[in-house]
């Protein structure tokens, strides 16, 4: 490997270490190297972006004042990352920027509803020539904005509810699911590389101590083909988790967000579900593994999720055992939900 490749890889690995230690200022500066580090995955780079305009056409924002500037923000390769970094957009609006967002087509309808005053556009809008380079003064990947003015944990998670789901569809789903008990959404498997998934995921049977509780109604928010899994689990354990085959997060994220919005609380592994429920301000408990990634600070330094005020975290113990975290999850549900007035 050339010197540059080695330098980028070292810097990226150091960025991840620093972010996990809560050393955000240095971590975010080195996080930029992810744009030039190859990934062991279908995408080419650790942070690959769809860039509609070259840097010669629209220069990169490098932290200069945004007052009166037209800033184009580009979605990150992971949908969860785009959702996470997008929570900072209102801060940039406060600095006087006029913002356009190119988040990836699956997120367009959600952000059109959730971000008033931001122009949100699709690949199709570009193909049809609705936007051209001269409409923007500067551009930046969403994940690159933190290095300039988000150096303290307290600068994150500014508003409790950030995303807006379609209220009519949400109410319809809630009515369909509701049987008088609080609705608790669950998700047990993470995404990403095949070799990383087991490190961040649970098996359904590990959740039985929670799922067999009769005081809640559990609803699957798991993306992917969860129907057959849940059916096998029901047969072997006698525990029923509601599966709604009309919702397909991979094809219709807007419908999925309404499903999340219909919940009273969510218990999930660290995956996109947490960005949905956290963005909606729903009480969420994230089960965080020993092998968690840079999005979670080491619990010895900071416990919980600095991006979303409504998200709490429960951690695997040192040996990678989930029992303590699941025990905490059961107590958390009692505290969060049993005090609620009935729906």
């Amino acid at each position: 490997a050339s010197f540059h490749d080695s330098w980028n890889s070292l810097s990226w690995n150091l960025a991840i270490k620093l972010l996990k230690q809560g050393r955000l200022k240095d971590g975010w500066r080195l996080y930029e190297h992810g744009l030039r580090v190859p990934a062991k995955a279908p995408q080419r780079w650790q942070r690959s972006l769809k860039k509609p305009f070259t840097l010669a056409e629209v220069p990169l924002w490098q932290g200069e004042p945004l007052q009166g500037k037209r800033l184009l923000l580009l979605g990150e390769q992971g949908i969860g990352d785009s959702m996470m970094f997008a929570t900072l957009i209102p801060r940039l609006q406060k600095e006087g920027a006029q913002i356009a967002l190119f988040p990836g087509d699956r997120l367009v309808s959600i952000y059109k509803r959730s971000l008033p005053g931001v122009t949100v556009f699709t690949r199709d809008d570009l193909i049809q020539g609705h936007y051209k380079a001269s409409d923007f003064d500067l551009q930046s990947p969403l994940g690159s904005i933190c290095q300039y003015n988000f150096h303290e944990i307290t600068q994150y998670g500014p508003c409790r509810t950030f995303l807006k789901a379609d209220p009519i569809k949400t109410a319809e789903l809630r009515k369909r699911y509701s049987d008088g008990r609080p609705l608790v959404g669950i998700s047990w498997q993470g995404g990403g590389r095949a070799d990383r998934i087991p490190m961040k995921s649970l098996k359904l049977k590990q959740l039985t101590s929670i799922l067999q509780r009769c005081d809640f109604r559990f609803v699957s928010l798991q993306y992917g083909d969860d129907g057959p899994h849940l059916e096998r689990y029901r047969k072997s354990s006698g525990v029923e988790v509601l599966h709604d085959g009309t919702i397909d997060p991979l094809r219709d994220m807007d419908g999925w967000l309404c499903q999340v919005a219909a919940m009273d609380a969510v218990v999930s592994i660290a995956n996109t579900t947490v960005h949905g429920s956290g963005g909606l301000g729903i009480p969420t408990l994230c089960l965080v593994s020993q092998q968690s990634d840079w999005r979670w600070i080491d619990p010895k330094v900071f416990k919980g999720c600095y991006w979303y005020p409504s998200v709490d975290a429960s951690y695997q113990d040192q040996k990678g055992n989930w029992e303590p975290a699941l025990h905490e999850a059961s107590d958390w549900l009692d505290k969060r939900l049993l005090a609620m007035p009935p729906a």
Side-chain angles (χ1 to χ4, degrees):
S2 73
F3 169 76
H4 279 292
D5 294 344
S6 307
W7 175 248
N8 284 326
S9 287
L10 278 169
S11 302
W12 169 250
N13 290 326
L14 180 56
I16 285 165
K17 249 192 176 55
L18 292 167
L19 291 172
K20 279 194 78 71
Q21 290 167 4
R23 293 170 59 187
L24 302 181
K25 186 178 181 180
D26 297 327
W28 289 128
R29 211 177 61 239
L30 292 171
Y31 183 72
E32 287 309 284
H33 290 270
L35 293 163
R36 292 179 292 279
V37 174
K40 294 183 191 158
Q43 76 275 358
R44 227 178 113 201
W45 309 103
Q46 294 288 353
R47 291 177 60 204
S48 58
L49 307 157
K50 309 276 189 289
K51 281 205 285 291
F53 306 108
T54 65
L55 297 181
E57 292 175 297
V58 182
L60 198 59
W61 178 48
Q62 294 183 308
E64 58 269 45
L66 286 171
Q67 184 62 45
K69 292 281 189 250
R70 299 166 305 166
L71 175 65
L72 168 62
L73 294 173
L74 307 169
E76 294 284 316
Q77 116 204 328
I79 274 199
D81 288 352
S82 292
M83 294 173 81
M84 186 171 87
F85 290 117
T87 58
L88 304 175
I89 289 176
R91 290 284 171 96
L92 300 181
Q93 287 176 290
K94 279 199 185 104
E95 289 178 37
Q98 258 183 295
I99 290 181
L101 177 63
F102 184 54
D105 289 0
R106 285 167 62 199
L107 291 171
V108 167
S109 56
I110 292 173
Y111 284 102
K112 279 192 167 160
R113 190 186 309 111
S114 303
L115 282 174
V118 171
T119 305
V120 185
F121 61 90
T122 62
R123 181 172 301 287
D124 224 32
D125 290 325
L126 284 173
I127 292 166
Q128 291 171 20
H130 297 171
Y131 298 95
K132 43 194 186 304
S134 57
D135 294 328
F136 310 105
D137 300 311
L138 298 163
Q139 63 175 326
S140 174
L142 273 170
S144 298
I145 57 187
C146 301
Q147 61 185 317
Y148 300 120
N149 44 5
F150 297 94
H151 297 161
E152 303 298 324
I153 285 176
T154 50
Q155 292 172 294
Y156 293 80
C159 46
R160 199 170 172 86
T161 50
F162 172 71
L163 296 175
K164 291 181 181 65
D166 175 335
I168 294 166
K169 170 100 175 162
T170 301
E172 176 201 310
L173 290 173
R174 192 168 167 82
K175 193 170 164 211
R176 184 158 22 119
Y177 299 158
S178 193
D179 63 0
R181 295 177 290 173
L183 296 173
V184 179
I186 62 150
S187 178
W188 59 93
Q189 187 161 320
R193 270 188 4 230
D195 59 335
R196 292 271 306 156
I197 290 173
M199 297 178 190
K200 301 191 291 185
S201 301
L202 280 145
K203 297 215 165 13
L204 269 167
K205 63 171 185 281
Q206 290 175 280
L207 287 168
T208 301
S209 60
I210 293 174
L211 298 178
Q212 65 191 5
R213 292 188 55 165
C214 302
D215 38 3
F216 305 118
R217 181 162 209 205
F218 292 97
V219 180
S220 169
L221 303 176
Q222 181 62 46
Y223 43 85
D225 190 16
D226 62 326
H229 281 292
L230 289 165
E231 186 49 32
R232 278 198 301 276
Y233 175 67
R234 186 185 65 77
K235 283 190 174 137
S236 65
S237 66
V239 175
E240 183 125 21
V241 174
L242 181 73
H243 163 70
D244 183 346
T246 68
I247 303 287
D248 180 357
L250 299 174
R251 289 219 172 76
D252 173 18
M253 283 207 74
D254 211 336
W256 166 80
L257 193 73
C258 295
Q259 186 184 35
V260 178
M263 299 299 116
D264 293 303
V266 168
V267 175
S268 176
I269 206 81
N271 65 18
T272 310
T273 307
V274 174
H275 301 291
S277 59
L280 290 161
I282 290 169
T284 301
L285 184 69
C286 185
L287 301 167
V288 182
S289 85
Q290 276 287 311
Q291 309 285 331
S292 65
D293 48 38
W294 55 268
R295 297 161 189 84
W296 297 87
I297 291 177
D298 179 338
K300 291 193 281 292
V301 179
F302 176 87
K303 269 191 142 99
C305 178
Y306 61 107
W307 292 90
Y308 303 107
S310 74
V311 175
D312 299 315
S314 222
Y315 300 84
Q316 254 186 351
D317 68 13
Q318 296 302 316
K319 299 191 184 79
N321 175 12
W322 282 110
E323 283 311 307
L326 293 169
H327 192 74
E328 259 178 56
S330 206
D331 292 347
W332 180 88
L333 281 169
D334 289 340
K335 276 209 288 288
R336 279 277 183 261
L337 293 182
L338 293 182
M340 278 177 41

